[in-house]
Amino acid sequence: MLDAAQIEVLQLSLKVAGTAVVFSLPLALIVAWFLARSRWRGKMIVDAIVHLPLVLPPVVTGYLLLVLLGRRGLMGGWLYEHLGLSFAFHWTGAALAGGIMGFPLMVRPIRLSLEAIDERVEAAATTLGARPIMVWITVTLPLALPGIIAGLVLAFARALGEFGATITFASNIPGETRTLPLAIYTFIQVPGGEPQAAQLIVISIVVSLAALFFSELIARRVKRLQT
Amino acid sequence: MTKAVANKTISLDIRLRQGEFELDCQFAAQERVIGLFGPSGAGKSSLLRVIGGLVRPDSGRVEIAGRCVFDSELGIHVPAYRRRIGYVFQQARLFPHLNVRHNLTYGTWFRRHQSARASFDQIVEMLDIGALLKRRIGGLSGGEQQRIAIGRALLSDPALLLLDEPLASLDAGRKEEVLPYLERLSAESELPIIFVSHQIDELLRLANRHVAAIRDGRIVFSGPTAEFLARPELLAGQAGQDAGALLCARLVEHEPAYGLSVLACGGQRLYVPRLADQTSGDQVYVHVHARDVILAREAPSQTSALNHLVGAVVSVCPAANGYAVDVVLDIEGQRLDARITRRSTAMLDPRPGETMHAVIKSLALAEQAWQRLGGL
């Protein structure tokens, strides 16, 4: 049904999007926690920075990443020399671009679910002997789970569909950074490539719907457990 | 007696500023059960949060059972999770993602040593929640939730139990789902308890030895319950539904045929629903809500109300709500408050010095009389 090239594109896309959400989740939890609970006035600035990828043209984000993290970029050279990390024109770059573009979409539902938690219930847990980290693990995190799942799915879908920042920062290299949307774009550019593009489009739709369905399933189960 | 005498149950001297409100409290008590009484907004809950470690005072010192948990000069501040304090709040604050059993055992997950005073089974039985263990929190009544919150606090093996108006968010029927269990806890366990309430009748049913009264962020009284009861001005100023007075009386006899007990208040008689375990001659306090008192110029001849107390009007002044008037009577040297409408006042025109009959239904005095005032 699918040829080897299509399977490669699909696998690469899932790897890129999966890596993007796995690595952004811890940071998203911390940022969402900070935005939900901090009383510091300057948190508006943090909020704006987090939302920036949502309003900036993706190409701009991609270009800024290139300036910052390209091999000759402000930080890219240092990262490569000392940590062996390379992003530009590499699949990790596609994951980074996808992760950054999906970040605001991940933070928002987590923040909302954290804000909905009754802090007095956390205080009750404290009086029962739970130190702050244990309160987090046994009360806060389970109660925020629906928001975390929603954030994961939204960010995953966003990373899967990421185009502008990816093509600018990581380029369109077959087998390395050519994810589903880039492959579709490439086929459409080639005369007679429409049938293959159409197949990839169907794959895109199926993967996205599956992610939505799966998250809905988990969210329902969590909700049933919590009431 | 027990070692509670060697160490004070609680000893504190703290100052805390929260916006406009200032808490400045000093008191110590060595009785096992302590009642903390005060009107809404007096600082009861704030003081409890300080004791529980949820709020850090600006300065001062707090000792629980001889153990210093806060001292601003020595830089000591034991965090709440190390204070071993069982805290029951106004709302149950249960964990919605856990079932009843796991809510109850939550505190045991963090206990380092297994020195529980009472076992899981004992506490479940005492609170009568065995049938609920597998249930989720969502479907439980307020009274059930509050009982589980009490059980949860007890199972964390606390050194001190703080009860912050655990009945305040419950309606009258639900209160009776919880109050008897608190009474058992207060009477039978060995656990030190601080019980907070703005309702004097509730408070006295549980804290019958030591009462501290707080007003505007300051402790205005701390001492034996008997002394507290002898100072009616501490009760004055209670708001709305709670306004009332305490009458001190002596049990004359029981009338088993009618399920009543007869009290003598000076030379006058008072019928109350049967006081189960008192005998003739026992001293009894009866809390009479001002709203339950009817005033009459003459002794009503044909009425179902059993209690007619005769006394002189001391003062008449309008209540804050605009439609009621508070009339204070002197009954055999004791204060009795009556709250009547302005319309009734216009009809009756009570004036200081005049003699009035206070008519009170015996049923209004159910749950309002106690004998268990230890040490009186």
Side-chain angles (χ1 to χ4, degrees):
Chain A
M1 200 171 96
L2 298 176
D3 61 35
Q6 287 170 329
I7 288 174
E8 191 191 281
V9 167
L10 180 60
Q11 277 178 338
L12 178 68
S13 296
L14 293 176
K15 180 169 82 170
V16 164
T19 308
V21 294
V22 165
F23 280 89
S24 35
L25 182 61
L27 188 62
L29 279 173
I30 293 168
V31 171
W33 170 262
F34 170 78
L35 290 176
R37 297 290 169 85
S38 168
R39 290 192 191 118
W40 182 50
R41 280 190 198 172
K43 79 175 184 182
M44 276 174 61
I45 298 165
V46 179
D47 198 24
I49 293 171
V50 167
H51 280 92
L52 216 50
L54 211 56
V55 290
L56 276 182
V59 177
V60 173
T61 306
Y63 180 74
L64 290 176
L65 281 174
L66 202 57
V67 170
L68 220 62
L69 296 173
R71 193 63 67 76
R72 294 205 189 82
L74 295 171
M75 289 160 66
W78 187 90
L79 282 175
Y80 182 69
E81 272 169 42
H82 293 87
L83 301 173
L85 283 174
S86 166
F87 289 106
F89 312 115
H90 198 255
W91 76 269
T92 49
L96 182 67
I100 287 177
M101 297 306 290
F103 196 68
L105 296 174
M106 187 183 282
V107 168
R108 201 172 174 79
I110 297 177
R111 174 189 179 173
L112 289 176
S113 67
L114 285 173
E115 280 172 347
I117 293 174
D118 189 348
E119 284 181 58
R120 297 173 309 172
V121 171
E122 295 174 326
T126 306
T127 67
L128 291 163
R131 57 182 60 231
I133 179 72
M134 293 312 287
V135 174
W136 231 86
I137 293 170
T138 59
V139 179
T140 314
L141 226 45
L143 287 177
L145 208 52
I148 293 171
I149 292 165
L152 278 173
V153 171
L154 282 172
F156 182 78
R158 184 69 189 81
L160 208 60
E162 172 43 36
F163 180 83
T166 309
I167 205 167
T168 313
F169 179 48
S171 187
N172 184 3
I173 306 163
E176 185 67 41
T177 66
R178 185 173 289 173
T179 55
L180 271 168
L182 278 89
I184 292 168
Y185 168 77
T186 310
F187 280 123
I188 292 173
Q189 296 301 304
V190 181
E194 271 95 352
Q196 282 161 299
Q199 280 183 314
L200 289 176
I201 285 166
V202 172
I203 293 172
S204 264
I205 293 170
V206 169
V207 171
S208 305
L209 281 179
L212 268 182
F213 180 74
F214 189 61
S215 78
E216 186 64 28
L217 211 68
I218 299 178
R220 274 197 199 168
R221 175 151 297 180
V222 168
K223 208 166 209 174
R224 194 146 19 106
L225 284 176
Q226 290 191 351
T227 46
Chain B
M1 277 181 70
T2 53
K3 66 180 176 186
V5 173
N7 283 325
K8 288 196 162 79
T9 304
I10 183 88
S11 162
L12 63 83
D13 177 357
I14 56 103
R15 276 150 302 285
L16 169 66
R17 205 172 175 88
Q18 286 181 318
E20 291 291 289
F21 186 75
E22 195 179 0
L23 201 61
D24 186 350
C25 291
Q26 299 82 34
F27 91 100
Q30 56 186 19
E31 298 292 347
R32 185 177 64 80
V33 182
I34 299 161
L36 182 59
F37 173 76
S40 301
K44 303 187 295 296
S45 293
S46 299
L47 184 57
L48 232 52
R49 278 197 292 275
V50 165
I51 297 171
L54 296 176
V55 172
R56 186 182 182 141
D58 299 328
S59 64
R61 183 178 167 87
V62 181
E63 268 181 41
I64 297 168
R67 172 187 176 215
C68 175
V69 293
F70 176 77
D71 190 312
S72 54
E73 279 178 22
L74 298 175
I76 297 173
H77 176 67
V78 178
Y81 59 87
R82 287 223 189 91
R83 287 200 184 183
R84 287 185 63 214
I85 282 185
Y87 210 138
V88 180
F89 303 89
Q90 288 183 26
Q91 276 84 27
R93 301 197 192 183
L94 298 175
F95 305 119
H97 58 299
L98 301 175
N99 69 11
V100 170
R101 176 184 287 275
H102 290 135
N103 264 281
L104 287 168
T105 54
Y106 184 86
T108 62
W109 302 352
F110 310 104
R111 214 166 55 198
R112 269 181 234 151
H113 47 95
Q114 299 289 321
S115 70
R117 276 166 217 264
S119 73
F120 182 82
D121 293 338
Q122 279 174 310
I123 286 171
V124 165
E125 192 195 349
M126 187 194 85
L127 294 167
D128 211 0
I129 48 182
L132 307 173
L133 290 179
K134 287 185 181 147
R135 297 263 300 272
R136 299 243 138 234
I137 300 307
L140 303 175
S141 77
E144 288 168 337
Q145 292 203 13
Q146 202 53 284
R147 257 144 66 199
I148 291 156
I150 294 164
R152 181 178 69 170
L154 291 176
L155 279 163
S156 71
D157 191 28
L160 170 68
L161 187 64
L162 301 180
L163 301 171
D164 186 3
E165 305 212 40
L167 306 172
S169 64
L170 305 175
D171 58 47
R174 299 276 168 249
K175 270 183 197 174
E176 285 309 312
E177 281 182 12
V178 179
L179 197 50
Y181 300 99
L182 289 178
E183 283 186 299
R184 275 181 73 181
L185 195 64
S186 164
E188 294 169 17
S189 80
E190 289 169 8
L191 185 65
I193 297 173
I194 299 182
F195 177 75
V196 169
S197 183
H198 65 275
Q199 284 183 294
I200 187 65
D201 43 344
E202 245 173 56
L203 192 89
L204 294 181
R205 276 174 75 170
L206 299 175
N208 46 46
R209 284 176 179 271
H210 192 107
V211 172
I214 185 170
R215 186 161 294 180
D216 298 328
R218 272 154 229 276
I219 298 285
V220 291
F221 174 87
S222 172
T225 304
E227 267 177 46
F228 173 75
L229 294 176
R231 290 178 57 185
E233 81 274 9
L234 292 169
L235 278 181
Q238 283 198 92
Q241 298 287 302
D242 304 326
L246 275 174
L247 287 179
C248 178
R250 204 161 280 284
L251 182 68
V252 179
E253 59 181 346
H254 294 299
E255 277 189 4
Y258 294 110
L260 296 175
S261 296
V262 186
L263 311 178
C265 186
Q268 306 190 38
R269 302 205 131 199
L270 200 58
Y271 292 86
V272 299
R274 173 153 191 168
L275 297 168
D277 29 40
Q278 278 121 357
T279 51
S280 304
D282 281 354
Q283 196 171 34
V284 176
Y285 282 90
V286 183
H287 183 246
V288 185
H289 281 124
R291 63 187 146 96
D292 288 335
V293 178
I294 297 167
L295 291 184
R297 268 203 187 281
E298 292 164 7
S301 53
Q302 294 189 342
T303 166
S304 68
L306 290 174
N307 300 314
H308 312 155
L309 299 172
V310 185
V313 176
V314 177
S315 67
V316 180
C317 62
N321 61 23
Y323 57 83
V325 174
D326 286 327
V327 180
V328 178
L329 301 178
D330 180 325
I331 310 275
E332 312 268 338
Q334 297 197 62
R335 176 193 169 119
L336 182 70
D337 289 34
R339 176 163 287 185
I340 58 179
T341 59
R342 280 201 352 241
R343 195 167 208 280
S344 312
T345 316
M347 260 161 41
L348 204 61
D349 192 25
R351 302 196 173 192
E354 289 181 331
T355 300
M356 279 282 168
H357 294 258
V359 182
I360 311 156
K361 280 170 75 81
S362 292
L363 286 176
L365 302 176
E367 314 293 336
Q368 305 294 333
W370 318 268
Q371 82 279 7
R372 270 209 334 250
L373 292 168
L376 288 180

